[in-house]
Amino acid sequence: MSKTFKTSMIFFLTTVWLTLSRILLSYVNIGDYWEDWLFSFIVQAIGMGCIPFLMYRFWVKEDPFEGFYLKRKIRPIIYVFAVCIGILASFIVPALSSIWVMILRMLGYTPANGVGTVYPLGDMAWLLLFMQLLTTAILPAIFEEINYRGLGMQMFSEVEDDRLKIVLMALLFGFGHQFIEQTGYAFAFGLVFSYLIIKTRSVVPGMIIHFVNNAVSVLSDFSSQGTGIFYGFRESVYSVFFKNIFALFIYVAILCVALVVLLWLVNKFSQSEEVRKEKEDEYYYPNKTQYVDDIFGDLTIVRETFKAGVKWYEYAPLYGAAIVMIVSTIISFAWGVGR
């Protein structure tokens, strides 16, 4: 079996794990918070963490830390850009979500009305905040990036067109949530995450952005029931730009321009890092005035001209995963239309 088939099978198992976990835990009644935390741990840490890591190590027989792009060292400034993109994302995602919900409403869909997290008074509020940050921000940031980007890069390693690779991984991320209300903005930022791992060859910047975006949402919810300063700032921004569709599009356009600039900077510094490493790998004579090639000629290794392509059936498990994700998403849409 090829590596493409094996990694596709791993992704199929993580997808089915999410679906089955959601179905089985719907019959468990241990309290809203405990149920959400249990679901997050089972899906994230086990389904998108232990299963891919163990199967990649013992079935693919390669180092998962290397294979999932966790070891690559990048310039520290890229981490700074990732934090900035994460903060920017925390303002873009609600806007994209609002636009997406508008579209769904026009199709007859009724969004779910969640009450959000209710924080009790006293020390329990801080414990609840910690658990929310763990299960909503930390676990998804680590394991969703490993599963959809790290594993995704391995599945599509034979795809030479980076643009196609970005779109494919973004589609998997969008439908991978298996919930129609999340599909739109998940796909949009799936493009961002996929672009970053291709340009930096590291999954860490995506983890940082993912964490910051989700953490800001949790902290805003917590602030709304406490001092309200952080929550009040976000709401004041939304009250200006979310009042009509024209203002909302202007708001999104401005933030997207800032996002594109940050992504351009990431690409620029990533390329400069590649140039630096290439120079470090050059070999010189002791006088450092001539290349080895000046005397010995071109030592470039001639790559094999024939390269067997991946057969369509090697992606069979991935097709199965896509079917599961799309069907689950359609069911969630039909549920929203019918209620």
Side-chain angles (χ1 to χ4, degrees):
M1 287 180 287
S2 68
K3 183 177 178 181
T4 299
F5 178 84
K6 290 179 179 179
T7 52
S8 295
M9 179 59 74
I10 294 172
F11 187 81
F12 172 78
L13 293 176
T14 63
T15 301
V16 173
W17 182 273
L18 168 60
T19 306
L20 293 179
S21 299
R22 183 167 286 159
I23 294 173
L24 293 176
L25 286 178
S26 66
Y27 295 99
V28 177
N29 187 13
I30 55 176
D32 290 338
Y33 298 142
W34 287 101
E35 189 175 326
D36 290 342
W37 297 339
L38 180 62
F39 175 78
S40 179
F41 179 80
I42 290 176
V43 170
Q44 303 287 345
I46 299 177
M48 297 184 184
C50 292
I51 291 177
F53 263 84
L54 292 176
M55 292 191 70
Y56 195 85
R57 176 64 182 87
F58 295 105
W59 193 29
V60 181
K61 296 182 179 180
E62 293 183 5
D63 180 8
F65 289 93
E66 185 73 34
F68 296 155
Y69 296 84
L70 287 162
K71 284 187 174 180
R72 174 66 182 266
K73 293 182 179 179
I74 57 179
R75 301 182 70 171
I77 188 64
I78 295 179
Y79 298 130
V80 176
F81 292 146
V83 173
C84 295
I85 293 174
I87 295 173
L88 203 59
S90 69
F91 287 91
I92 297 177
V93 168
L96 293 178
S97 178
S98 297
I99 294 173
W100 179 245
V101 168
M102 289 180 191
I103 296 173
L104 293 177
R105 285 183 183 276
M106 288 188 291
L107 297 175
Y109 179 85
T110 302
N113 293 319
V115 297
T117 304
V118 179
Y119 291 92
L121 298 176
D123 294 336
M124 285 300 297
W126 295 103
L127 176 61
L128 184 57
L129 175 62
F130 169 77
M131 291 301 297
Q132 288 297 107
L133 285 172
L134 175 65
T135 57
T136 305
I138 298 175
L139 295 183
I142 296 173
F143 296 116
E144 286 186 10
E145 290 306 309
I146 288 174
N147 191 68
Y148 290 103
R149 254 66 66 180
L151 183 58
M153 287 287 284
Q154 292 297 338
M155 285 193 296
F156 300 121
S157 61
E158 299 297 329
V159 177
E160 297 181 357
D161 188 344
D162 285 344
R163 290 171 296 184
L164 177 60
K165 195 181 300 186
I166 289 171
V167 172
L168 289 173
M169 287 193 289
L171 284 171
L172 291 182
F173 188 56
F175 285 107
H177 287 74
Q178 301 184 28
F179 184 45
I180 191 65
E181 288 186 35
Q182 295 176 306
T183 303
Y185 66 80
F187 169 74
F189 264 86
L191 295 171
V192 174
F193 293 136
S194 301
Y195 177 86
L196 284 169
I197 193 172
I198 285 176
K199 293 301 180 182
T200 65
R201 313 302 290 181
S202 171
V203 77
V204 177
M207 289 180 175
I208 293 173
I209 297 168
H210 209 140
F211 167 76
V212 172
N213 173 68
N214 290 14
V216 167
S217 178
V218 172
L219 293 173
S220 177
D221 194 18
F222 179 75
S223 174
S224 68
Q225 300 171 50
T227 59
I229 298 176
F230 184 56
Y231 172 79
F233 170 73
R234 293 189 83 197
E235 288 301 308
S236 64
V237 173
Y238 297 156
S239 64
V240 174
F241 294 102
F242 283 46
K243 58 185 178 181
N244 61 66
I245 189 64
F246 178 75
L248 183 59
F249 274 108
I250 294 296
Y251 171 84
V252 172
I254 293 173
L255 294 184
C256 284
V257 169
L259 175 61
V260 169
V261 171
L262 287 170
L263 292 176
W264 176 81
L265 289 172
V266 169
N267 181 42
K268 178 182 178 181
F269 280 91
S270 297
Q271 288 180 342
S272 63
E273 179 72 2
E274 290 296 329
V275 171
R276 183 186 66 81
K277 288 185 178 181
E278 287 177 4
K279 288 184 177 180
E280 289 178 353
D281 291 339
E282 291 175 351
Y283 293 93
Y284 297 91
Y285 280 103
N287 61 15
K288 297 184 179 181
T289 59
Q290 289 181 304
Y291 291 98
V292 175
D293 287 352
D294 289 344
I295 289 181
F296 293 103
D298 187 1
L299 299 180
T300 303
I301 298 174
V302 178
R303 294 187 177 182
E304 188 177 353
T305 57
F306 174 77
K307 184 177 181 181
V310 177
K311 305 297 183 182
W312 67 268
Y313 53 79
E314 295 180 59
Y315 284 113
L318 180 59
Y319 304 149
I323 291 172
V324 171
M325 293 187 297
I326 293 172
V327 169
S328 298
T329 303
I330 292 174
I331 291 174
S332 71
F333 175 74
W335 174 74
V337 172
R339 69 166 175 264

